Amino acid sequence: MAQISIIAAIAENNAIGLKGQLLYWLPADLKRFKALTTGHTIIMGRKTFDSLPKGALPNRRNVVLSRSKKDFPGAERFASLKDALASCSEDEDVYIIGGASVYAEALPLANRLCLTEVHDTPKEADAFFPEFNRDEWEVAFLEKHEPDEKNDRFYDFIDYIRK
């Protein structure tokens, strides 16, 4: 089976979005996202695809989960996560990039979590990363960051691998 990683930026209360948009603008997080996912398959829900400013992300196999017959330029469409994963080769690195319901469905299948944990709790949010038992995961990578001229909050890059 393909290597399945979930990638997300989450607040202290697991919030990930509001009204179809990311909660935080952290250029370092976006740079890390690009570095990790480029050259690989990314799987997302329809709303996540619709939120991308320029549509399909370049230099990646874009997969959208949608039961509608709508066309998603630059992306393949599958009706379910199971069907999308079945289309992936054994040696493929697959990144689940959102939204909340796709994260929840993919969490039991994931081998790795690539999280940006933002040290903040937003006043408002309507999308949340699923709760997960940290005892089932071990920290494989941790990099702490303080605010700087481009990133206005404390945040950590943390990769977890399933025990």
Side-chain angles (χ1 to χ4, degrees), residues 17-152:
L18 178 65
K19 297 179 181 163
Q21 298 299 312
L22 296 174
L23 292 172
Y24 304 104
W25 180 256
L26 294 170
D29 173 57
L30 300 173
K31 184 177 177 181
R32 179 176 192 246
F33 175 92
K34 183 178 181 181
L36 288 172
T37 63
T38 294
H40 303 294
T41 297
I42 54 174
I43 297 178
M44 69 200 92
R46 177 194 54 80
K47 291 179 189 171
T48 298
F49 182 85
D50 289 344
S51 76
L52 299 174
K54 298 178 184 169
L57 297 176
N59 306 313
R60 284 156 267 216
R61 177 184 174 209
N62 287 247
V63 174
V64 178
L65 304 179
S66 175
R67 286 183 285 282
S68 84
K69 299 295 183 214
K70 178 183 170 196
D71 197 31
F72 298 95
E76 300 169 52
R77 180 185 54 80
F78 290 91
S80 70
L81 178 59
K82 181 182 173 190
D83 291 346
L85 291 173
S87 78
C88 297
S89 66
E90 292 270 325
D91 59 348
E92 207 162 337
D93 280 342
V94 176
Y95 287 85
I96 309 296
I97 70 165
S101 64
V102 180
Y103 286 142
E105 188 179 354
L107 187 59
L109 308 172
N111 315 90
R112 183 170 70 147
L113 306 175
C114 302
L115 302 180
T116 299
E117 294 185 356
V118 181
H119 297 282
D120 184 61
T121 300
K123 289 180 180 61
E124 272 190 278
D126 59 13
F128 294 84
F129 193 82
E131 293 291 332
F132 65 99
N133 182 351
R134 292 178 191 262
D135 292 339
E136 295 174 9
W137 301 85
E138 66 182 71
V139 174
F141 174 80
L142 170 61
E143 191 176 276
K144 294 180 173 287
H145 294 270
E146 295 189 6
D148 60 29
E149 64 280 352
K150 292 182 180 174
N151 302 276
D152 66 353

